[in-house]
Amino acid sequence: MTNPTSEGRPRTLPGQEGTALSRSAARVVGVVIVVVISVAALLVRPSLVDASTGVGEASEGAASSSVTETGHTTDVTVKVDGMAFVPSSIEVPAGDRLQITFVNTGDQRHDLVFANGAESGAVAPGEQVVVDAGVVSADLEGWCSLPGHRQMGMVLDVVAVGGEAVGGESDSAAGSDSDADSGTGSMHHSGSPADASAPTMADLTEAAKSADPYPAELSTLDDSTEHSYTFTVTEGTEEVATGVTRAVWTYNGTSPGPILHGRVGDTFHITLVNEGTMGHSIDFHAGELAPDEPMRTIEPGQSLEYTFTAGRSGVWMYHCSTMPMSSHIANGMFGAVVIEPDGLEEVDRSYVLIQSEMYLGADGEAASATKVAAGIPDVVAFNGRAFQYDAHPLTAKAGERVRMWVLDAGPNSPWSFHVVGTQFDTVWSEGAYSVYHGTSADGLTRGTTGAQVLSLQAAEGGFVEFVPSEAGHYAIVNHQMSLAEKGAHGVLEVSE
């Protein structure tokens, strides 16, 4: 155990000097061993895919010298059904060469990679490719390496009949759960929940200071009843904190995507354009229509038209509905449509806050599907960036009526929405008032009731109103405090 020095560095307690030295030496030896093993692995595993033909070829080094090659080739056709390979298991006589015709019969692109290095490359729906998996000497695992697909069940087991036991080659080549998430072996973060290497509060706050804040103020309404938008899907990377980046998939280059605003009866015309590298889609909770066509997954370069009429008021979520949805939402594909209730009165300030979670994978890569499934985020954000409204506070004046529209985009965590130093005199959630500051529809005056939180599960939304009585700094938090400390925190700066 160590105690910090005044400079913030650990110091060694008396009697621990030898221990610290031996640990340092052990770490150096460990690094050397890993490097030697890695170099050896590279020497016996050259590039395994012929880019000119699209045919994957397994390394001859993957074949065990203890198994005699039969000279025979086993040919198998593998297809896709939902998020599974069909068949999901193949038996191959040990010593046979395995050749797989991979036919993508799914609705989005997939690939097929094996622990020995053979791979298909990305295969679009309706296309096929031949994968040479090499001579099979032991059981071998294959999977789809697109983010989250392996965790959804896209795994192909090759059973070597009369071959070696399962393990060894397959286990070491497959790497950790987090490696499998991103399709890489280079990790900035470990795959375990509650990642100890995740950025700290100080790291996140410092990054927020140097980034432009997402505009949280709700746009004003005009008399328009028809609204037209183009949503362009893009994929890129963003800095979460110094030295920590993540892949983001976005609508129109931001996460959240554009916040839409309208009234009951308004019609929205959306053109979705996919300029990404994989299949994407969109699902607007604000509309009511069969999902089959407008919410279908489209491939890169494709577009679709999505029209809906807002029949009911609410803070409606929209998101990518391509499987696995949890990964697409966690990577940034979400936003809000605010449809005002009839008769909603004017207020002095109106803001929109959307809570979402980040599950950091390999540096610069997509969210770790293993962490998403565990539901323990590394970072939690309002409007896409942790602590951004601490660095760039929202503003109001004492005595002004403030309305905050809030939506929990998830994909997993709840939100106990609270503004420190205030009491909500109006609370509206999922279509109903629970607290109202004036005379309600039933004729009752409820001016002496109040609330301290608005509780939301994933995809739920609503709004609150309050009137700060004096100048000061009012913290906006998720009162599930561990999530506030991971970034679900901001400030309303109230002036005289």
Side-chain angles (χ1 to χ4, degrees):
M1 176 177 179
T2 59
N3 289 342
T5 66
S6 59
E7 292 82 12
R9 297 187 300 272
R11 65 178 176 85
T12 305
L13 296 178
Q16 289 187 327
E17 295 86 350
T19 302
L21 180 60
S22 61
R23 286 175 180 170
S24 299
R27 282 195 291 270
V28 171
V29 172
V31 169
V32 172
I33 292 172
V34 169
V35 170
V36 171
I37 293 174
S38 299
V39 171
L42 289 172
L43 291 174
V44 299
R45 289 189 189 169
S47 179
L48 302 171
V49 179
D50 186 340
S52 64
T53 64
V55 177
E57 181 177 353
S59 166
E60 292 300 327
S64 170
S65 59
S66 63
V67 174
T68 302
E69 295 186 27
T70 64
H72 181 262
T73 297
T74 296
D75 293 297
V76 179
T77 297
V78 173
K79 299 182 179 181
V80 174
D81 183 9
M83 297 296 285
F85 292 115
V86 180
S88 61
S89 181
I90 301 169
E91 290 189 351
V92 180
D96 273 19
R97 179 173 291 273
L98 174 60
Q99 186 166 280
I100 296 174
T101 301
F102 175 43
V103 185
N104 187 355
T105 50
D107 63 354
Q108 61 173 300
R109 60 183 50 208
H110 297 288
D111 64 11
L112 176 57
V113 304
F114 287 96
N116 66 3
E119 60 179 278
S120 66
V123 181
E127 296 185 355
Q128 66 181 51
V129 67
V130 176
V131 183
D132 184 351
V135 175
V136 176
S137 61
D139 294 354
L140 181 66
E141 186 179 48
W143 60 88
C144 179
S145 71
L146 272 71
H149 289 205
R150 184 180 187 180
Q151 286 71 20
M152 289 290 293
M154 297 200 73
V155 175
L156 176 64
D157 292 315
V158 177
V159 179
V161 179
E164 298 172 1
V166 179
E169 176 70 32
S170 178
D171 291 344
S172 61
S176 70
D177 288 343
S178 266
D179 293 347
D181 288 338
S182 62
T184 73
S186 173
M187 290 300 301
H188 182 88
H189 302 279
S190 71
S192 61
D195 196 335
S197 63
T200 65
M201 182 185 295
D203 296 333
L204 294 166
T205 303
E206 190 62 31
K209 292 177 182 178
S210 60
D212 292 334
Y214 184 98
E217 190 165 359
L218 181 63
S219 63
T220 57
L221 283 176
D222 56 24
D223 294 331
S224 301
T225 59
E226 301 280 333
H227 310 272
S228 298
Y229 301 91
T230 297
F231 277 47
T232 302
V233 175
T234 58
E235 299 165 11
T237 59
E238 72 171 10
E239 185 179 68
V240 179
T242 301
V244 181
T245 61
R246 70 171 187 134
V248 286
W249 309 339
T250 66
Y251 298 112
N252 290 0
T254 64
S255 178
I259 295 174
L260 308 187
H261 190 193
R263 298 182 179 91
V264 174
D266 285 5
T267 298
F268 294 80
H269 305 274
I270 310 297
T271 300
L272 179 68
V273 180
N274 187 357
E275 292 186 359
T277 63
M278 66 188 80
H280 293 291
S281 59
I282 196 165
D283 170 5
F284 284 96
H285 292 192
E288 294 180 282
L289 65 169
D292 305 58
E293 287 300 312
M295 301 180 200
R296 71 184 186 274
T297 296
I298 59 174
E299 282 294 293
Q302 295 181 343
S303 63
L304 61 77
E305 301 297 322
Y306 190 145
T307 298
F308 66 89
T309 298
R312 294 177 174 83
S313 58
V315 190
W316 303 99
M317 182 177 176
Y318 67 80
H319 61 92
C320 183
S321 58
T322 299
M323 295 296 286
M325 291 187 207
S326 57
S327 289
H328 284 254
I329 294 170
N331 283 308
M333 302 193 76
F334 59 85
V337 181
V338 175
I339 304 298
E340 295 191 0
D342 292 338
L344 189 65
E345 64 185 40
E346 295 291 327
V347 293
D348 300 297
R349 309 277 177 162
S350 189
Y351 293 109
V352 181
L353 295 176
I354 304 173
Q355 177 180 282
S356 62
E357 306 131 38
M358 301 178 196
Y359 301 84
L360 301 176
D363 192 48
E365 298 291 338
S368 163
T370 302
K371 293 182 181 181
V372 173
I376 303 176
D378 295 304
V379 179
V380 185
F382 292 159
N383 291 349
R385 180 172 289 279
F387 299 115
Q388 67 174 319
Y389 302 120
D390 289 80
H392 309 280
L394 306 181
T395 60
K397 294 180 180 179
E400 287 187 331
R401 176 161 290 276
V402 179
R403 179 181 294 139
M404 289 192 173
W405 300 84
V406 290
L407 171 71
D408 185 358
N412 296 317
S413 297
W415 188 2
S416 180
F417 177 75
H418 175 66
V419 181
V420 177
T422 72
Q423 295 177 345
F424 305 149
D425 64 18
T426 299
V427 177
W428 186 96
S429 177
E430 293 297 299
Y433 286 97
S434 58
V435 176
Y436 190 65
H437 69 278
T439 302
S440 63
D442 59 12
L444 297 178
T445 299
R446 298 174 177 170
T448 58
T449 59
Q452 57 198 312
V453 297
L454 170 56
S455 299
L456 302 172
Q457 294 294 327
E460 285 189 328
F463 69 81
V464 303
E465 294 177 14
F466 56 92
V467 179
S469 59
E470 57 185 355
H473 295 81
Y474 296 75
I476 306 165
V477 303
N478 185 334
H479 218 287
Q480 185 167 332
M481 298 310 300
S482 62
L483 301 183
E485 291 156 4
K486 291 182 177 182
H489 192 286
V491 170
L492 177 69
E493 187 175 78
V494 177
S495 60
E496 293 292 351

